[in-house]
Short mmCIF file of all heavy atoms in Angstrom, two decimals:
data_model
loop_
_atom_site.label_atom_id
_atom_site.label_comp_id
_atom_site.label_asym_id
_atom_site.label_seq_id
_atom_site.Cartn_x
_atom_site.Cartn_y
_atom_site.Cartn_z
N MET A 1 0.80 -1.11 0.03
CA MET A 1 0.03 0.03 0.01
C MET A 1 0.97 1.21 0.05
O MET A 1 1.89 1.20 0.69
CB MET A 1 -0.93 0.01 1.21
CG MET A 1 -1.82 1.08 1.28
SD MET A 1 -3.18 0.70 2.58
CE MET A 1 -4.13 -0.36 1.63
N SER A 2 0.51 2.12 -0.83
CA SER A 2 1.41 3.38 -0.79
C SER A 2 0.93 4.37 0.14
O SER A 2 -0.25 4.50 0.39
CB SER A 2 1.34 3.96 -2.28
OG SER A 2 -0.01 3.98 -2.80
N PRO A 3 1.83 5.08 0.86
CA PRO A 3 1.57 5.98 1.89
C PRO A 3 1.05 7.30 1.30
O PRO A 3 1.58 7.77 0.30
CB PRO A 3 2.84 6.20 2.71
CG PRO A 3 3.93 5.83 1.70
CD PRO A 3 3.39 4.91 0.77
N LYS A 4 0.02 7.75 1.89
CA LYS A 4 -0.56 9.15 1.32
C LYS A 4 -1.00 9.85 2.48
O LYS A 4 -1.48 9.35 3.48
CB LYS A 4 -1.64 8.82 0.32
CG LYS A 4 -1.31 8.15 -0.95
CD LYS A 4 -2.52 8.05 -1.81
CE LYS A 4 -2.15 7.31 -2.99
NZ LYS A 4 -1.53 5.99 -2.98
N LYS A 5 -1.01 11.18 2.36
CA LYS A 5 -1.60 11.99 3.39
C LYS A 5 -3.11 12.05 3.04
O LYS A 5 -3.51 12.32 1.98
CB LYS A 5 -0.97 13.48 3.46
CG LYS A 5 -1.61 14.31 4.54
CD LYS A 5 -0.85 15.63 4.48
CE LYS A 5 -1.57 16.76 5.37
NZ LYS A 5 -2.10 16.22 6.60
N GLY A 6 -3.92 11.82 4.09
CA GLY A 6 -5.43 11.98 3.74
C GLY A 6 -6.12 12.46 4.87
O GLY A 6 -5.48 13.23 5.84
N CYS A 7 -7.45 12.49 4.78
CA CYS A 7 -8.27 13.30 5.76
C CYS A 7 -8.69 12.43 6.93
O CYS A 7 -9.20 12.98 7.97
CB CYS A 7 -9.54 13.79 5.11
SG CYS A 7 -10.57 12.52 4.48
N ASP A 8 -8.67 11.16 6.79
CA ASP A 8 -9.20 10.20 7.82
C ASP A 8 -10.68 10.36 8.17
O ASP A 8 -11.11 9.93 9.22
CB ASP A 8 -8.37 10.25 9.15
CG ASP A 8 -6.88 9.79 9.05
OD1 ASP A 8 -6.76 8.77 8.23
OD2 ASP A 8 -6.12 10.31 9.60
N HIS A 9 -11.42 11.04 7.25
CA HIS A 9 -12.90 11.15 7.60
C HIS A 9 -13.75 10.65 6.27
O HIS A 9 -14.86 10.82 6.29
CB HIS A 9 -13.12 12.71 7.79
CG HIS A 9 -12.57 13.20 8.93
ND1 HIS A 9 -12.98 12.87 10.24
CD2 HIS A 9 -11.41 14.03 8.97
CE1 HIS A 9 -12.18 13.53 11.07
NE2 HIS A 9 -11.32 14.13 10.47
N GLY A 10 -13.11 9.90 5.37
CA GLY A 10 -13.87 9.56 4.21
C GLY A 10 -14.31 10.50 3.34
O GLY A 10 -15.21 10.28 2.43
N GLN A 11 -13.53 11.66 3.17
CA GLN A 11 -14.04 12.81 2.16
C GLN A 11 -13.04 12.96 1.21
O GLN A 11 -13.46 13.51 0.12
CB GLN A 11 -14.07 13.97 3.02
CG GLN A 11 -15.17 13.90 4.02
CD GLN A 11 -15.23 15.17 5.03
OE1 GLN A 11 -14.36 15.84 5.04
NE2 GLN A 11 -16.29 15.36 5.62
N CYS A 12 -11.75 12.58 1.23
CA CYS A 12 -10.76 12.95 0.13
C CYS A 12 -10.56 11.84 -0.81
O CYS A 12 -10.15 12.12 -2.02
CB CYS A 12 -9.54 13.34 0.88
SG CYS A 12 -8.51 12.18 1.43
N GLY A 13 -10.76 10.57 -0.35
CA GLY A 13 -10.54 9.49 -1.32
C GLY A 13 -9.08 9.12 -1.60
O GLY A 13 -8.82 8.32 -2.43
N SER A 14 -8.11 9.71 -0.80
CA SER A 14 -6.74 9.46 -1.12
C SER A 14 -6.29 8.00 -0.95
O SER A 14 -5.27 7.61 -1.31
CB SER A 14 -5.71 10.44 -0.42
OG SER A 14 -5.81 10.20 0.97
N ARG A 15 -7.03 7.35 -0.05
CA ARG A 15 -6.72 5.95 0.28
C ARG A 15 -7.68 4.98 -0.35
O ARG A 15 -7.88 3.92 0.15
CB ARG A 15 -6.69 5.80 1.78
CG ARG A 15 -5.48 6.71 2.40
CD ARG A 15 -5.55 6.59 3.91
NE ARG A 15 -4.45 7.49 4.36
CZ ARG A 15 -4.59 8.14 5.61
NH1 ARG A 15 -5.64 7.81 6.32
NH2 ARG A 15 -3.70 8.92 6.01
N THR A 16 -8.07 5.32 -1.49
CA THR A 16 -9.10 4.49 -2.22
C THR A 16 -8.27 3.24 -2.93
O THR A 16 -7.37 3.47 -3.49
CB THR A 16 -9.82 5.21 -3.29
OG1 THR A 16 -10.49 6.34 -2.55
CG2 THR A 16 -10.84 4.41 -4.11
N VAL A 17 -8.90 2.06 -2.76
CA VAL A 17 -8.41 0.89 -3.44
C VAL A 17 -9.58 0.24 -4.15
O VAL A 17 -10.74 0.53 -3.89
CB VAL A 17 -7.66 -0.07 -2.56
CG1 VAL A 17 -6.51 0.61 -1.81
CG2 VAL A 17 -8.73 -0.68 -1.56
N LEU A 18 -9.25 -0.72 -4.92
CA LEU A 18 -10.23 -1.63 -5.45
C LEU A 18 -10.18 -2.82 -4.66
O LEU A 18 -9.11 -3.46 -4.29
CB LEU A 18 -9.96 -2.12 -7.03
CG LEU A 18 -10.23 -1.09 -8.04
CD1 LEU A 18 -9.80 -1.69 -9.38
CD2 LEU A 18 -11.57 -0.64 -8.12
N LEU A 19 -11.27 -3.17 -3.96
CA LEU A 19 -11.51 -4.45 -3.08
C LEU A 19 -12.40 -5.36 -3.85
O LEU A 19 -13.69 -5.02 -3.95
CB LEU A 19 -11.96 -3.90 -1.80
CG LEU A 19 -12.27 -5.06 -0.67
CD1 LEU A 19 -10.99 -5.50 -0.12
CD2 LEU A 19 -13.04 -4.34 0.33
N ASP A 20 -11.83 -6.39 -4.24
CA ASP A 20 -12.67 -7.39 -4.99
C ASP A 20 -13.33 -6.71 -6.21
O ASP A 20 -14.57 -6.92 -6.37
CB ASP A 20 -13.74 -8.16 -4.11
CG ASP A 20 -13.02 -9.08 -3.17
OD1 ASP A 20 -11.94 -9.47 -3.50
OD2 ASP A 20 -13.55 -9.25 -2.03
N GLY A 21 -12.70 -5.72 -6.72
CA GLY A 21 -13.12 -5.09 -8.00
C GLY A 21 -14.13 -3.93 -7.78
O GLY A 21 -14.60 -3.27 -8.77
N ARG A 22 -14.40 -3.55 -6.52
CA ARG A 22 -15.17 -2.27 -6.21
C ARG A 22 -14.47 -1.30 -5.44
O ARG A 22 -13.56 -1.66 -4.67
CB ARG A 22 -16.30 -2.83 -5.34
CG ARG A 22 -17.16 -3.91 -6.13
CD ARG A 22 -18.49 -4.06 -5.47
NE ARG A 22 -19.27 -2.91 -5.63
CZ ARG A 22 -20.47 -2.84 -5.31
NH1 ARG A 22 -21.25 -3.93 -5.04
NH2 ARG A 22 -21.13 -1.58 -5.36
N ARG A 23 -14.70 -0.02 -5.76
CA ARG A 23 -14.08 1.14 -5.08
C ARG A 23 -14.34 0.99 -3.57
O ARG A 23 -15.40 0.78 -3.06
CB ARG A 23 -14.67 2.41 -5.55
CG ARG A 23 -14.00 3.61 -4.93
CD ARG A 23 -14.58 4.88 -5.48
NE ARG A 23 -16.07 4.91 -5.16
CZ ARG A 23 -16.59 5.54 -4.08
NH1 ARG A 23 -15.67 6.00 -3.18
NH2 ARG A 23 -17.85 5.59 -3.87
N HIS A 24 -13.19 1.18 -2.63
CA HIS A 24 -13.43 1.01 -1.34
C HIS A 24 -12.36 2.08 -0.61
O HIS A 24 -11.29 2.15 -1.08
CB HIS A 24 -13.06 -0.39 -0.87
CG HIS A 24 -13.25 -0.56 0.56
ND1 HIS A 24 -14.50 -0.94 1.07
CD2 HIS A 24 -12.36 -0.84 1.68
CE1 HIS A 24 -14.50 -1.14 2.28
NE2 HIS A 24 -13.16 -1.00 2.76
N LEU A 25 -12.90 2.66 0.48
CA LEU A 25 -12.04 3.66 1.22
C LEU A 25 -11.36 2.69 2.42
O LEU A 25 -12.03 2.44 3.32
CB LEU A 25 -12.83 4.81 1.73
CG LEU A 25 -13.51 5.71 0.81
CD1 LEU A 25 -14.46 6.62 1.49
CD2 LEU A 25 -12.49 6.33 -0.17
N THR A 26 -10.10 2.53 2.27
CA THR A 26 -9.44 1.85 3.32
C THR A 26 -9.29 2.50 4.57
O THR A 26 -9.16 1.88 5.65
CB THR A 26 -7.86 1.51 2.77
OG1 THR A 26 -7.23 2.62 2.54
CG2 THR A 26 -7.93 0.54 1.65
N CYS A 27 -9.39 3.81 4.59
CA CYS A 27 -9.24 4.44 5.93
C CYS A 27 -10.44 4.20 6.79
O CYS A 27 -10.45 4.51 7.88
CB CYS A 27 -9.08 5.96 5.70
SG CYS A 27 -10.42 6.73 4.71
N LEU A 28 -11.61 3.79 6.25
CA LEU A 28 -12.78 3.64 7.00
C LEU A 28 -13.06 2.05 7.28
O LEU A 28 -14.20 1.74 7.69
CB LEU A 28 -14.02 4.18 6.17
CG LEU A 28 -13.77 5.70 5.98
CD1 LEU A 28 -15.08 6.11 5.24
CD2 LEU A 28 -13.66 6.45 7.29
N SER A 29 -12.09 1.33 7.19
CA SER A 29 -12.36 -0.13 7.35
C SER A 29 -11.08 -0.96 7.98
O SER A 29 -10.09 -0.40 8.00
CB SER A 29 -12.72 -0.90 6.09
OG SER A 29 -11.57 -0.80 5.20
N LEU A 30 -11.39 -2.02 8.75
CA LEU A 30 -10.37 -2.89 9.31
C LEU A 30 -9.88 -3.79 8.18
O LEU A 30 -10.78 -4.50 7.64
CB LEU A 30 -10.94 -3.54 10.50
CG LEU A 30 -11.35 -2.59 11.75
CD1 LEU A 30 -11.90 -3.44 12.79
CD2 LEU A 30 -9.96 -1.99 12.23
N ALA A 31 -8.62 -3.98 8.12
CA ALA A 31 -7.99 -4.86 7.25
C ALA A 31 -8.47 -6.36 7.43
O ALA A 31 -8.83 -7.12 6.56
CB ALA A 31 -6.57 -4.77 7.17
N VAL A 32 -8.52 -6.67 8.82
CA VAL A 32 -9.00 -8.05 9.14
C VAL A 32 -10.16 -8.39 8.69
O VAL A 32 -10.63 -9.64 8.46
CB VAL A 32 -8.89 -8.25 10.71
CG1 VAL A 32 -9.83 -7.46 11.48
CG2 VAL A 32 -8.83 -9.73 11.03
N ALA A 33 -11.18 -7.47 8.41
CA ALA A 33 -12.57 -7.62 7.93
C ALA A 33 -12.49 -8.02 6.50
O ALA A 33 -13.58 -8.58 5.95
CB ALA A 33 -13.50 -6.47 8.10
N HIS A 34 -11.48 -7.89 5.77
CA HIS A 34 -11.41 -8.24 4.37
C HIS A 34 -10.29 -9.33 4.01
O HIS A 34 -9.79 -9.41 3.02
CB HIS A 34 -11.05 -7.02 3.57
CG HIS A 34 -12.17 -5.97 3.77
ND1 HIS A 34 -13.41 -6.07 3.36
CD2 HIS A 34 -12.08 -4.86 4.59
CE1 HIS A 34 -14.07 -4.99 3.90
NE2 HIS A 34 -13.31 -4.18 4.49
N ASP A 35 -9.98 -10.15 5.04
CA ASP A 35 -9.08 -11.12 4.92
C ASP A 35 -9.44 -12.23 3.64
O ASP A 35 -10.67 -12.48 3.53
CB ASP A 35 -8.95 -12.14 6.14
CG ASP A 35 -7.90 -13.15 6.08
OD1 ASP A 35 -6.94 -12.83 5.43
OD2 ASP A 35 -8.09 -14.13 6.73
N GLY A 36 -8.49 -12.23 2.79
CA GLY A 36 -8.94 -13.21 1.64
C GLY A 36 -9.40 -12.49 0.36
O GLY A 36 -9.41 -13.01 -0.72
N SER A 37 -9.63 -11.03 0.59
CA SER A 37 -10.20 -10.27 -0.56
C SER A 37 -8.91 -9.94 -1.51
O SER A 37 -7.81 -9.82 -1.05
CB SER A 37 -10.76 -9.09 -0.13
OG SER A 37 -11.98 -9.41 0.79
N GLU A 38 -9.27 -9.56 -2.75
CA GLU A 38 -8.33 -9.24 -3.68
C GLU A 38 -8.23 -7.55 -3.59
O GLU A 38 -9.24 -6.88 -3.68
CB GLU A 38 -8.69 -9.44 -5.11
CG GLU A 38 -7.54 -8.87 -6.07
CD GLU A 38 -8.02 -9.12 -7.53
OE1 GLU A 38 -9.12 -8.78 -7.89
OE2 GLU A 38 -7.28 -9.75 -8.25
N ILE A 39 -7.15 -7.10 -3.28
CA ILE A 39 -6.98 -5.49 -3.02
C ILE A 39 -5.99 -5.04 -4.24
O ILE A 39 -4.87 -5.45 -4.35
CB ILE A 39 -6.46 -5.09 -1.68
CG1 ILE A 39 -7.50 -5.73 -0.49
CG2 ILE A 39 -6.21 -3.69 -1.54
CD1 ILE A 39 -7.03 -5.58 0.74
N VAL A 40 -6.40 -3.95 -4.84
CA VAL A 40 -5.51 -3.36 -5.93
C VAL A 40 -5.43 -1.86 -5.44
O VAL A 40 -6.37 -1.18 -5.40
CB VAL A 40 -6.17 -3.38 -7.32
CG1 VAL A 40 -5.03 -2.85 -8.27
CG2 VAL A 40 -6.27 -4.91 -7.64
N ASN A 41 -4.08 -1.52 -5.26
CA ASN A 41 -3.97 0.02 -4.92
C ASN A 41 -3.69 0.80 -6.08
O ASN A 41 -3.58 0.26 -7.25
CB ASN A 41 -2.90 0.18 -3.80
CG ASN A 41 -1.56 -0.21 -4.30
OD1 ASN A 41 -1.34 -0.54 -5.44
ND2 ASN A 41 -0.63 -0.32 -3.30
N ALA A 42 -3.25 2.02 -6.00
CA ALA A 42 -3.04 2.97 -7.24
C ALA A 42 -1.80 2.43 -7.99
O ALA A 42 -1.87 2.34 -9.38
CB ALA A 42 -2.64 4.35 -6.78
N ALA A 43 -0.81 1.92 -7.40
CA ALA A 43 0.25 1.26 -8.21
C ALA A 43 -0.13 0.08 -8.86
O ALA A 43 0.30 -0.12 -10.01
CB ALA A 43 1.46 0.90 -7.09
N GLY A 44 -0.98 -0.80 -8.31
CA GLY A 44 -1.54 -1.87 -9.00
C GLY A 44 -2.31 -1.57 -10.28
O GLY A 44 -2.38 -2.24 -11.12
N LEU A 45 -3.11 -0.49 -10.06
CA LEU A 45 -3.98 -0.04 -11.17
C LEU A 45 -3.05 0.23 -12.28
O LEU A 45 -3.48 -0.07 -13.55
CB LEU A 45 -4.77 1.24 -10.70
CG LEU A 45 -6.06 1.06 -10.03
CD1 LEU A 45 -6.67 2.43 -9.72
CD2 LEU A 45 -7.00 0.07 -10.75
N GLY A 46 -1.97 0.97 -12.14
CA GLY A 46 -0.89 1.27 -13.28
C GLY A 46 -0.52 -0.01 -13.94
O GLY A 46 -0.31 -0.14 -15.11
N ARG A 47 -0.28 -1.04 -13.10
CA ARG A 47 0.13 -2.29 -13.72
C ARG A 47 -1.00 -2.92 -14.51
O ARG A 47 -0.80 -3.66 -15.51
CB ARG A 47 0.55 -3.21 -12.62
CG ARG A 47 1.85 -2.96 -12.01
CD ARG A 47 2.57 -3.99 -11.15
NE ARG A 47 3.45 -3.32 -10.18
CZ ARG A 47 2.97 -3.01 -8.87
NH1 ARG A 47 1.87 -3.50 -8.43
NH2 ARG A 47 3.78 -2.30 -8.22
N LEU A 48 -2.32 -2.83 -13.98
CA LEU A 48 -3.39 -3.46 -14.73
C LEU A 48 -3.59 -2.78 -16.15
O LEU A 48 -4.00 -3.32 -17.13
CB LEU A 48 -4.63 -3.28 -13.87
CG LEU A 48 -4.83 -4.21 -12.74
CD1 LEU A 48 -6.06 -3.85 -11.95
CD2 LEU A 48 -4.74 -5.67 -13.13
N THR A 49 -3.36 -1.34 -16.24
CA THR A 49 -3.56 -0.71 -17.40
C THR A 49 -2.38 -0.54 -18.28
O THR A 49 -2.37 0.08 -19.37
CB THR A 49 -4.20 0.71 -17.08
OG1 THR A 49 -3.10 1.43 -16.36
CG2 THR A 49 -5.37 0.71 -16.26
N GLY A 50 -1.13 -1.08 -17.80
CA GLY A 50 -0.01 -1.05 -18.53
C GLY A 50 0.73 0.39 -18.55
O GLY A 50 1.65 0.64 -19.19
N ASP A 51 0.24 1.24 -17.58
CA ASP A 51 0.88 2.50 -17.42
C ASP A 51 2.04 2.59 -16.47
O ASP A 51 2.77 3.63 -16.41
CB ASP A 51 -0.19 3.52 -16.87
CG ASP A 51 -1.17 3.78 -17.91
OD1 ASP A 51 -1.08 3.62 -19.06
OD2 ASP A 51 -2.35 4.31 -17.54
N ALA A 52 2.27 1.41 -15.72
CA ALA A 52 3.54 1.52 -14.68
C ALA A 52 4.66 1.01 -15.27
O ALA A 52 4.56 0.22 -16.27
CB ALA A 52 3.10 0.70 -13.50
S1 LIG B 1 -8.25 9.64 4.23
FE1 LIG B 1 -9.60 10.85 3.17
S2 LIG B 1 -11.01 9.58 2.49
FE2 LIG B 1 -9.68 8.35 3.49
#
């Protein structure tokens, strides 16, 4: 996961990832609640699209 400065209130979206293919704000959830899920961060999106 790439470090970013965020708001911690669910308003800026700076910590958004794809969680099982759907947009998800990681700052508002516990990682343990998503054990086994597929998570793609911004760096991973670049790899998916061939931009990285
Ligand atoms: S840190 Fe701003 S929405 Fe999560």
Side-chain angles (χ1 to χ4, degrees):
M1 186 168 281
S2 45
K4 295 179 179 62
K5 178 170 175 37
C7 65
D8 292 327
H9 296 287
Q11 297 174 342
C12 72
S14 70
R15 296 176 187 153
T16 303
V17 298
L18 287 179
L19 178 72
D20 291 332
R22 301 192 62 160
R23 181 181 62 87
H24 188 81
L25 299 174
T26 58
C27 56
L28 301 179
S29 63
L30 292 173
V32 69
H34 303 288
D35 187 30
S37 296
E38 179 186 57
I39 298 172
V40 179
N41 66 6
L45 279 178
R47 285 187 211 105
L48 288 177
T49 61
D51 292 339

